[in-house]
Amino acid sequence: MTTTIAAYAAPAAKAPLERTTIERRAVGEHDVLIDIAFVGICHSDIHQVREGWGTAIFPMVPGHEITGTVAEVGSRVTTYQVGDRVGVGCMVDSCRACENCKAGLEQYCTGGGPVWTYNAVGRDGLPTYGGYAQQVVVDRDFVVRIPDALPLDVAAPLLCAGITTYSPLRHWHTGPGTKVAVIGLGGLGHMGVQLAHALGAEVTVLSQSLRKQDDGLRLGADHYRATSDPATFADLAGSFDLILNTVSAPLDFAAYLSLLRTDGTLVNLGLPEDPVQLTLQSLNGNRRSLSTSGIGGIAETQEMLDFCAARGVAAEIELIRADQINDAYERVLAGDVRYRFVIDPATI
Ligand code: NAP
Ligand code: ZN
Ligand code: ZN
């Protein structure tokens, strides 16, 4: 038997989100029922509500930065108990049998792809609904544990913004002696700066202006430069081992690639709605690489949460009521967020 849950949904593409109810599946033997305590607003929610990435499924309940407590567990669940502090990120299922799933890279599942937390169809054929809701039912293998040292509100954005920046920093061996630049000081960017700093790198923020410089330096950046100033590109040419691009809009990739040292890599994380132009000559000097990275696997997400708890890293948030979601979307689009909106689902 399904359960009726209060949620906030976009009824159609580009439509304002409004209060509604959705049906959650009955708790299966491998499932965990979570009372959602907090859910972050990721820019990906906005891209999808606006159908900026292509045709989407409506009504859409966005939300893939979920924290809460376990309310019920299925008969075969031994890893979680009622009352445990848990989180759910961008995925709620995958094939578990392909090479990538077996390697802990469920986000790159080749057996039909992972099932995204919302705007997707589950293996039961039903649409998935995300975390702008009071409860969610998730397979135990896609639930992670929130360490006691991390408050649930500031932990929520770690489930997407945190893991999306942690995974490439680790994959490209960030540590003492590594020079990292983070383009864009938004939700992803402010996590990337903190994590790169905690891993021991020398960190530079490349932001459109110096408006958020004090915050960037407080979050752990060693340098903060405005990309509106042409001197930035002249001064920093050939400087970085690794650049994380977190910008939600198309960029001049040639300009940013020129900032890489020999063998340096620009990892693109931002997923703009419009195509970008790339001149291949911009990769040619100094054996530069352009790569991408998508969120992170479940085990790596747990590793990231444990790292954040040990190092005192968490998101900076502005807590909002559900009826402020539409305004919050406009503020994200206007760049007016420091640095993640987090919804209190009790207000739905
Ligand atoms: P966000 O909070 O809106 O931050 C994006 C930042 O980009 C802004 O704060 C701004 O920083 C900069 N920016 C925005 N518009 C710009 C423009 N026109 N030109 C230059 N800079 C601009 O967004 P987010 O939640 O961090 O997400 C960022 C992007 O990553 C989105 O496209 C999202 O869909 C994508 N994403 C990807 C993954 C993945 O797995 N790869 C995961 C999550 C999100 P400044 O003001 O400092 O310039
Ligand atoms: Zn996200
Ligand atoms: Zn798979």
Side-chain angles (χ1 to χ4, degrees):
M1 234 198 18
T2 60
T3 313
T4 305
I5 307 284
Y8 245 71
K14 302 188 178 70
L17 281 79
E18 55 189 39
R19 188 183 187 281
T20 187
T21 57
I22 51 165
E23 296 299 311
R24 292 290 193 203
R25 69 170 183 259
V27 178
E29 55 184 15
H30 295 124
D31 285 339
V32 175
L33 172 68
I34 300 167
D35 285 335
I36 300 176
F38 297 101
V39 58
I41 295 179
C42 178
H43 205 122
S44 302
D45 300 350
I46 303 173
H47 289 308
Q48 291 177 84
V49 161
R50 296 182 174 222
E51 277 195 332
W53 293 343
T55 308
I57 301 169
F58 294 94
M60 184 190 298
V61 178
H64 58 207
E65 293 186 333
I66 301 168
T67 56
T69 51
V70 174
E72 189 182 331
V73 295
S75 57
R76 287 176 176 257
V77 176
T78 53
T79 37
Y80 294 101
Q81 292 180 342
V82 172
D84 283 356
R85 305 163 84 248
V86 292
V88 178
C90 301
M91 304 176 280
V92 289
D93 206 353
S94 71
C95 86
R96 300 136 195 259
C98 73
E99 191 183 359
N100 286 342
C101 282
K102 285 185 175 159
L105 296 169
E106 300 89 350
Q107 75 275 31
Y108 305 133
C109 171
T110 55
V115 176
W116 304 114
T117 303
Y118 67 88
N119 189 23
V121 176
R123 274 154 217 278
D124 54 6
L126 298 173
T128 56
Y129 294 120
Y132 296 8
Q134 293 187 332
Q135 292 183 314
V136 65
V137 179
V138 181
D139 185 288
R140 63 180 175 193
D141 295 338
F142 288 79
V143 175
V144 288
R145 197 172 285 283
I146 307 295
D148 287 341
L150 288 175
L152 291 181
D153 54 354
V154 293
L158 302 179
L159 276 303
C160 177
I163 184 60
T164 300
T165 48
Y166 181 82
S167 186
L169 288 169
R170 295 281 291 159
H171 183 76
W172 275 275
H173 308 295
T174 301
T178 315
K179 287 190 171 185
V180 174
V182 176
I183 315 174
L185 194 69
L188 265 57
H190 96 292
M191 289 313 311
V193 169
Q194 294 185 74
L195 290 165
H197 173 70
L199 288 164
E202 181 180 335
V203 186
T204 301
V205 176
L206 300 172
S207 181
Q208 293 167 96
S209 73
L210 297 180
R211 200 163 49 94
K212 296 177 276 190
Q213 181 170 21
D214 292 348
D215 289 347
L217 298 176
R218 179 172 49 76
L219 290 165
D222 301 282
H223 317 281
Y224 200 103
R225 299 294 300 257
T227 53
S228 51
D229 179 359
T232 296
F233 291 90
D235 294 349
L236 300 179
S239 318
F240 299 109
D241 301 293
L242 183 68
I243 301 177
L244 300 185
N245 174 32
T246 75
V247 173
S248 48
L251 280 190
D252 176 0
F253 273 87
Y256 289 92
L257 286 164
S258 74
L259 305 184
L260 290 171
R261 307 163 99 144
T262 303
D263 287 330
T265 303
L266 191 161
V267 183
N268 186 69
L269 303 174
L271 297 169
E273 299 175 8
D274 298 317
V276 297
Q277 278 208 322
L278 180 67
T279 312
L280 289 176
Q281 285 88 328
S282 58
L283 283 169
N284 222 20
N286 297 349
R287 209 161 50 190
R288 297 172 181 126
S289 299
L290 172 62
S291 191
T292 62
S293 188
I295 51 169
I298 297 298
E300 193 175 40
T301 302
Q302 187 65 62
E303 177 190 305
M304 176 275 306
L305 289 165
D306 296 342
F307 178 83
C308 287
R311 304 301 298 271
V313 173
E316 297 213 345
I317 66 161
E318 184 174 336
L319 190 64
I320 61 164
R321 298 185 312 272
D323 63 8
Q324 294 174 294
I325 292 172
N326 294 303
D327 290 342
Y329 276 23
E330 294 305 324
R331 285 183 56 192
V332 172
L333 290 167
D336 176 24
V337 51
R338 296 190 181 198
Y339 282 87
R340 204 54 143 183
F341 289 112
V342 170
I343 303 162
D344 174 1
T347 62
I348 290 175

